[in-house]
Amino acid sequence: MIRYLIKNNFKLMVRSITNSLLVVICPLILIALLSSAFDDMMSRYDGDADIIAGYRIEGKNVPSEMIDAFKDGAKDNGYILKEYTEGDPEEILRNEDMGGFVVFKDDTYTIYQNNDHKEEAKILEYSVNAFYENALAGKVGVKTDSVKIEPEHPDYMPAIDSIDYYGIIEVVYFGWCAIVCGAGIFMSEKKYRISKKLRVSALSETKLYLAKFVPIVSVVILGNAATTLLSIILFKVHWGNPVLSALIVLFSVSAATALGLMAYNIFDNIVVTIIAVFALVWFAGFFGGSFETYMFSLHPMSVKLISPIYHINRALVELSCMGHSDYVASSIMYCAAIIIVCSAVAVLAGSIRKRGKA
């Protein structure tokens, strides 16, 4: 009997155009809109392969050996130096779109910086300063490691672009609206008074609960899978650790479904249920990073940690950009707790209503 109910409820949900729009189309629209809106904020600096800088010799006593040595050292460190014997340095910077311009004099130098290439200009300034000090100390023509920049890579969270971020986040957010996908089941039960017939059947309240829980989770998961596949094809979204990410999404959708069914068994009204669940999900998503990225939001950490969506979002995002996350365990345990508690309350509320109307 329960398998028959699960199969019928599943078919009823799959045939709904509204479910396809909610679970598949709407997330794709928001991914496109939000990723575009936050693209500049989440973009990262990628330096050119070679830094182009200009130079000029104005001093009469600047040794040619020093300039040759500097040019060789600059080449080893990713610089391309171009000599300009005339012209205003600032105009040259603007016209040639270079990182910086160096004017060598007898015992000093002047560096002109391009505001559009501040990072390159700072690197150039450091290199020129280090080399010039060595030159004045009599180390002209000697290539030393003191001029070469040795990058270090401390532990940090790699940047994630807006497409990857919202391509993951919006799948989670719409998954938490799972109860809306089950609206067809509840409306059909009300219209044909199926719920009254089921109350006098031999099925327990737990089985009646599972007859709704299983098809809702299944349909939403299938919708999420379709959204994920389309986002990968259309937007090149990168998911990290597919198996672990899929497990987190499964727990997320199951928790959302349990929450929605609990609300429905308490209110016994699909409209009130959707409003109540949507309000909770919106606030959880607001503090969890579904609209404003959780990396840049100013909400206190204690508030973020209350939201289950924050744990899920952070786990999936960090899996995408780092391959691991300390929030995997907390996201799964948080969702598991919601599933257990909400399912128990939903079954209890259904049993009370069944006895009251018996």
Side-chain angles (χ1 to χ4, degrees):
M1 181 66 174
I2 185 174
R3 285 183 293 179
Y4 174 78
L5 289 175
I6 291 174
K7 183 179 69 173
N8 281 358
N9 288 337
F10 180 83
K11 289 180 179 179
L12 186 64
M13 294 177 63
V14 169
R15 293 170 184 164
S16 174
I17 298 177
T18 303
N19 290 343
S20 299
L21 291 173
L22 176 69
V23 183
V24 181
I25 306 302
C26 289
L28 291 175
I29 294 174
L30 272 188
I31 290 170
L33 293 176
L34 291 177
S35 63
S36 176
F38 285 89
D39 181 59
D40 290 338
M41 179 182 291
M42 300 184 68
S43 61
R44 55 191 175 188
Y45 170 74
D46 292 319
D48 296 330
D50 292 309
I51 299 174
I52 301 176
Y55 76 95
R56 176 182 301 157
I57 302 174
E58 292 186 352
K60 297 181 180 180
N61 299 317
V62 178
S64 60
E65 294 85 354
M66 184 187 77
I67 301 300
D68 292 338
F70 180 74
K71 290 171 64 176
D72 292 339
K75 186 177 181 180
D76 292 339
N77 288 286
Y79 289 98
I80 296 178
L81 290 177
K82 295 183 178 180
E83 183 177 8
Y84 293 84
T85 57
E86 57 183 23
D88 181 62
E90 295 183 355
E91 289 186 6
I92 294 174
L93 282 179
R94 287 194 298 268
N95 296 333
E96 301 294 333
D97 194 31
M98 294 186 298
F101 194 98
V102 187
V103 177
F104 293 100
K105 299 182 180 180
D106 290 336
D107 55 356
T108 186
Y109 62 88
T110 302
I111 295 180
Y112 296 85
Q113 297 183 357
N114 189 333
N115 290 330
D116 294 332
H117 301 275
K118 292 182 179 180
E119 295 83 2
E120 297 177 3
K122 289 296 182 182
I123 296 173
L124 177 65
E125 181 180 5
Y126 172 82
S127 299
V128 173
N129 179 67
F131 187 87
Y132 213 84
E133 288 182 355
N134 288 334
L136 292 178
K139 300 178 181 179
V140 177
V142 180
K143 296 182 182 180
T144 63
D145 292 336
S146 61
V147 182
K148 189 173 184 178
I149 300 173
E150 295 292 344
E152 295 183 1
H153 303 283
D155 293 334
Y156 70 102
M157 177 178 172
I160 184 168
D161 60 34
S162 59
I163 292 178
D164 284 348
Y165 181 87
Y166 286 105
I168 295 171
I169 297 304
E170 295 311 318
V171 171
V172 174
Y173 180 74
F174 279 91
W176 274 81
C177 299
I179 195 62
V180 180
C181 295
I185 298 175
F186 308 124
M187 293 174 66
S188 178
E189 287 184 350
K190 291 288 186 181
K191 182 178 180 180
Y192 299 105
R193 299 182 179 182
I194 297 175
S195 57
K196 292 184 178 181
K197 297 176 182 178
L198 292 174
R199 287 194 184 101
V200 297
S201 68
L203 289 174
S204 65
E205 190 61 34
T206 301
K207 290 183 178 180
L208 293 176
Y209 172 82
L210 291 175
K212 299 182 182 71
F213 179 85
V214 173
I216 292 176
V217 171
S218 301
V219 169
V220 175
I221 286 295
L222 288 175
N224 283 347
T227 302
T228 300
L229 182 60
L230 288 172
S231 67
I232 292 173
I233 296 173
L234 297 175
F235 307 116
K236 310 300 181 184
V237 176
H238 299 91
W239 287 74
N241 196 325
V243 175
L244 193 53
S245 296
L247 181 64
I248 294 173
V249 172
L250 175 60
F251 269 89
S252 174
V253 172
S254 299
T257 303
L259 175 67
L261 289 175
M262 180 190 72
Y264 181 75
N265 280 5
I266 291 174
F267 298 119
D268 196 30
N269 186 301
I270 187 59
V271 176
V272 176
T273 297
I274 291 175
I275 293 174
V277 171
F278 181 77
L280 287 173
V281 171
W282 190 90
F283 277 104
F286 178 77
F287 292 110
S290 296
F291 314 112
E292 179 187 18
T293 59
Y294 67 77
M295 293 91 75
F296 301 140
S297 66
L298 300 178
H299 312 306
M301 193 64 183
S302 57
V303 176
K304 293 180 183 179
L305 291 175
I306 295 174
S307 168
I309 294 181
Y310 173 77
H311 292 261
I312 298 164
N313 286 350
R314 182 154 182 179
L316 292 174
V317 167
E318 290 182 353
L319 284 174
S320 175
C321 63
M322 296 193 302
H324 62 86
S325 174
D326 295 335
Y327 283 80
V328 170
S330 64
S331 63
I332 292 177
M333 288 190 293
Y334 205 155
C335 289
I338 293 174
I339 294 169
I340 294 171
V341 173
C342 291
S343 296
V345 173
V347 171
L348 178 62
S351 298
I352 293 174
R353 177 167 284 106
K354 184 177 182 179
R355 288 197 298 268
K357 294 184 179 181

